[in-house]
Amino acid sequence: DAGDGSEYSQAHAELHALASEFVTGRGYYDFFLIDLDGNIIYSVEKEQDYATNLVKGAYSQSGLGDVFRRVTSEEHEHTVAISDFARYAPSNDDPAIFAGKLMFNDEGKRIGVLALQLPSDSIHDIMHFTVGMGESGETYLVGPDLLMRSDSRFSDVSTVLDVSVGSDTVQRALNGERGVEYT
């Protein structure tokens, strides 16, 4: 709220408490409202990306920019786009994932994009479920660039986007093969 009595400040005052509660309650990192021109008109966190443009601004090539382009290129009301993990400068250059969906008014007209910055902690918790894996078993996610998208349970530091895994098993998985391997 800029405290200027503007229509935007009034809308922000009404939305911010609800959006903050939604983000906290659901475990998201941030919540964005983006107009159809790519302007980030609302963010809970108000990081460096707030009030920038995702079409031609500094973060146009980010995961958030990618999600914006993908959902606005679709006409389907139910299209949801999710980005890959990538470092995101406004969030301390930490790895981030974004999801977005077009918003429509009551007449079915496109009015903007709602996007969420998803928490990596939830993925971490899922991937570190070790029941039945013994002392040496591990599950992890790897992207097409061979960089880990989850932390290794055997590392004291984050391995996300920092450790490359190019094993035969990973190569086969990236080629669409399925299976289990014991070594």
Side-chain angles (χ1 to χ4, degrees):
D1 183 359
D4 59 2
S6 68
E7 193 174 311
Y8 180 86
S9 289
Q10 291 172 9
H12 184 276
E14 292 175 22
L15 172 66
H16 191 66
L18 182 62
S20 294
E21 185 178 316
F22 176 79
V23 165
T24 302
R26 301 289 173 111
Y28 296 119
Y29 180 82
D30 205 351
F31 171 103
F32 304 90
L33 294 177
I34 307 161
D35 70 18
L36 293 174
D37 294 324
N39 298 305
I40 299 175
I41 59 173
Y42 177 79
S43 162
V44 168
E45 292 296 320
K46 308 286 189 295
E47 293 181 324
Q48 293 173 344
D49 50 6
Y50 175 61
T52 63
N53 184 278
L54 294 174
V55 174
K56 56 186 177 222
Y59 309 111
S60 62
Q61 298 305 308
S62 69
L64 183 57
D66 175 57
V67 163
F68 173 79
R69 280 188 304 282
R70 287 175 36 216
V71 297
T72 55
S73 69
E74 294 287 331
E75 291 296 326
H76 303 288
E77 180 177 339
H78 301 291
T79 298
V80 173
I82 300 174
S83 74
D84 190 1
F85 263 113
R87 296 206 176 277
Y88 191 58
S91 299
N92 294 325
D93 215 28
D94 288 336
I97 304 171
F98 296 92
K101 182 180 182 321
L102 276 173
M103 296 182 305
F104 295 82
N105 66 13
D106 292 338
E107 290 79 43
K109 182 181 176 194
R110 298 161 30 133
I111 58 170
V113 173
L114 181 144
L116 298 166
Q117 188 170 344
L118 305 175
S120 57
D121 293 349
S122 298
I123 292 171
H124 174 82
D125 292 346
I126 292 167
M127 299 311 295
H128 283 211
F129 183 78
T130 58
V131 172
M133 289 190 207
E135 296 291 321
S136 62
E138 181 175 34
T139 58
Y140 50 85
L141 301 172
V142 177
D145 57 1
L146 303 182
L147 293 175
M148 292 184 75
R149 299 305 198 267
S150 60
D151 285 322
S152 170
R153 79 175 181 130
F154 301 112
S155 178
D156 292 332
V157 297
S158 179
T159 57
V160 176
L161 299 177
D162 286 331
V163 174
S164 180
V165 183
S167 67
D168 289 339
T169 306
V170 168
Q171 293 293 340
R172 290 196 313 266
L174 290 171
N175 287 331
E177 293 182 41
R178 301 171 89 180
V180 176
E181 182 173 312
Y182 299 93
T183 56

